[in-house]
């Protein structure tokens, strides 16, 4: 099977390591021991480690990921340690290192955050507003952070959307494929030319409900944000649009998008130019999800349920956004 234009990480299966070998590495480098349970991941090997003191996430990076990119993600988490945000902390090894090199990939250990995954909770406007505020707080926390690998090329980075075109044939539904092609054409003609003039910074870049935890007993409160593996330096509004895309209520797309924008704007004010691009960039995230997951599910059918977890919402959201009165939506956004 061809990779349909997917290469590097997106064309590489997660790494493998025998449980005994991983346990030995953890004992030798971190002094940790306990039962481990596999966690879902698209490209890394992730496990939950239970110790008498607390839980940890053990991460073995994909060997196709350059070491400087892994270091970029690690340094960002270290940067956020004083920001007062509910994000994982990097556990230092016994000799004080934040990473341990292995032949299978770079090993890291992060603190495990407790909470209920957002995708398992009821969607409400209050929860979406809380997510918008958290997205803005994380963006603020990352302001000023720089790293040599921050501009690495990542297919999930919205500014790279033009390179999705070879993946569109993998979308099996002709009507959805046509809608994705129309959205991509709008991105190329109207959105991409405007991006260089906007604010750029390092961002999380993947605030989807599988990477967000809500508080036990209070699903409208965000208790944790996980998985900084898609971080990149890109226009700030791209990160806001990604988060907005996952909070969109397809049954009331305009109201939910405006509610998200209003809550984000209250914490981190957006410019008029950024607000005008929010709907198209949210649609771009949806078509990115549809194109990449369609392609990867065909290549890795054994992992298809995980790969396609966000596909249905992306499909419904893209359809809902396309049906809106564009002029009315932009006027409402500009009035925030």
């Amino acid at each position: 099977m061809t990779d349909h234009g997917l290469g590097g990480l997106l064309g590489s299966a997660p790494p493998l390591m025998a449980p005994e070998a991983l346990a030995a590495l953890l004992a030798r480098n971190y002094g940790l021991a306990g039962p481990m349970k596999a966690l879902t991941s698209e490209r890394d090997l992730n496990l939950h480690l239970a110790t008498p003191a607390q839980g940890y996430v053990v991460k073995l990076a994909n060997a196709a990921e350059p070491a400087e990119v892994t270091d970029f993600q690690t340094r960002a988490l270290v940067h956020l340690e004083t920001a007062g945000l509910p994000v994982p902390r990097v556990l230092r090894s016994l000799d004080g290192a934040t990473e341990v090199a292995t032949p299978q990939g770079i090993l890291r250990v992060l603190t495990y955050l407790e909470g209920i995954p957002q995708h398992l909770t009821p969607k409400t406007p209050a929860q979406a507003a809380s997510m918008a505020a958290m997205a803005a707080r994380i963006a603020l926390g990352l302001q000023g952070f720089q790293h040599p690998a921050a501009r690495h090329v990542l297919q999930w980075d919205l500014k790279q959307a033009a390179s999705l075109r070879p993946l569109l044939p993998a979308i099996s539904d002709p009507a959805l494929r046509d809608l994705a092609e129309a959205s991509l054409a709008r991105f190329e003609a109207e959105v991409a030319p405007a991006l260089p003039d906007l604010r750029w910074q390092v961002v999380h870049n993947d605030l989807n409900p599988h990477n967000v935890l809500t508080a036990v007993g209070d699903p409208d409160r965000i208790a944790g944000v996980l998985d900084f593996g898609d971080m990149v330096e890109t226009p700030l509004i791209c990160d806001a649009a990604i988060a907005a895309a996952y909070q969109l209520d397809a049954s009331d797309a305009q109201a939910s998008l405006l509610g998200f924008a209003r809550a984000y704007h209250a914490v981190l004010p957006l410019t008029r130019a950024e607000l005008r691009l929010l709907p198209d960039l949210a649609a771009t995230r949806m078509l990115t999800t549809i194109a990449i997951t369609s392609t990867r599910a065909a290549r890795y059918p054994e992992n298809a349920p995980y790969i396609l977890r966000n596909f249905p919402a992306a499909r419904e959201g893209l359809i809902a956004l396309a049906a809106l009165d564009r002029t009315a939506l932009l006027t409402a956004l500009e009035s925030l």
Side-chain angles (χ1 to χ4, degrees):
M1 180 181 295
T2 63
D3 66 5
H4 300 280
L6 288 178
L9 286 177
L10 290 181
S12 178
L16 298 173
M17 182 180 285
E20 299 81 7
L22 188 54
L25 277 174
L26 290 170
R28 183 167 63 251
N29 290 282
Y30 291 92
L32 295 176
M36 286 184 282
K37 178 177 65 175
L39 301 172
T40 54
S41 177
E42 188 171 359
R43 60 178 189 252
D44 299 329
L45 175 63
N46 292 338
L47 301 103
H48 175 262
L49 170 66
T51 75
Q54 68 177 95
Y56 296 95
V57 175
V58 178
K59 297 180 68 69
L60 186 64
N62 195 301
E65 180 170 88
E68 59 269 22
V69 173
T70 306
D71 182 71
F72 166 48
Q73 299 160 13
T74 302
R75 295 299 160 194
L77 287 174
V78 172
H79 175 83
L80 289 174
E81 285 183 346
T82 59
L85 294 166
V87 301
R89 288 179 173 263
V90 180
L91 183 68
R92 275 52 166 186
S93 69
L94 294 176
D95 61 3
T98 56
E99 302 174 349
V100 174
T102 80
Q104 291 83 8
I106 294 174
L107 177 68
R108 291 172 293 169
V109 178
L110 308 179
T111 55
Y112 182 81
L113 301 184
E114 299 290 345
I116 307 298
Q118 187 187 16
H119 71 96
L120 298 178
T121 65
K123 293 180 67 171
T124 68
Q127 185 188 76
S130 295
M131 187 62 240
M134 181 59 69
R137 288 177 60 202
I138 291 174
L140 285 170
L142 288 169
Q143 278 186 351
F145 173 68
Q146 296 180 324
H147 191 280
R151 292 203 177 189
H152 70 108
V153 176
L154 182 75
Q155 181 66 83
W156 286 101
D157 179 5
L158 295 188
K159 69 176 183 286
Q160 307 290 347
S163 62
L164 291 170
R165 192 164 294 282
L167 308 186
L168 298 187
I171 303 172
S172 58
D173 181 345
L176 183 60
R177 185 167 60 246
D178 289 346
L179 183 54
E181 289 175 346
S183 296
L184 184 55
R186 184 186 292 279
F187 171 86
E188 293 171 326
E190 301 181 21
V191 178
L195 296 181
D197 296 329
L198 302 179
R199 290 181 289 178
W200 288 50
Q201 68 163 79
V202 171
V203 296
H204 182 281
N205 198 52
D206 191 19
L207 292 169
N208 79 70
H210 291 259
N211 290 338
V212 175
L213 300 174
T214 63
V216 176
D218 185 5
D220 289 341
R221 182 167 68 85
I222 305 303
V225 173
L226 314 172
D227 195 350
F228 284 68
D230 278 3
M231 285 181 35
V232 71
E233 184 178 343
T234 201
L236 170 67
I237 191 61
C238 291
D239 188 57
I242 288 169
Y246 291 103
Q247 303 305 316
L248 189 83
D249 180 352
S251 68
D252 197 355
Q254 178 156 321
S256 61
L257 185 62
L258 288 172
F260 181 95
R262 187 175 297 109
Y264 188 102
H265 188 68
V267 177
L268 202 175
L270 297 168
T271 67
R272 180 175 180 273
E274 289 168 337
L275 286 165
R276 286 186 62 84
L277 293 178
L278 182 63
D280 285 334
L281 284 169
T284 300
R285 175 61 175 206
M286 294 166 183
L287 80 89
T288 300
T289 298
I290 291 166
I292 291 178
T293 59
S294 295
T295 303
R296 281 187 60 80
R299 178 164 184 163
Y300 300 110
E302 72 283 359
N303 203 24
Y306 176 74
I307 293 170
L308 292 171
R309 65 198 185 282
N310 290 316
F311 181 96
R315 178 188 58 217
E316 298 308 313
L318 190 61
I319 293 170
L321 280 179
L324 295 179
D325 182 320
R326 183 176 177 79
T327 300
L329 176 57
L330 293 181
T331 299
L333 282 167
E334 290 175 348
S335 67
L336 290 180

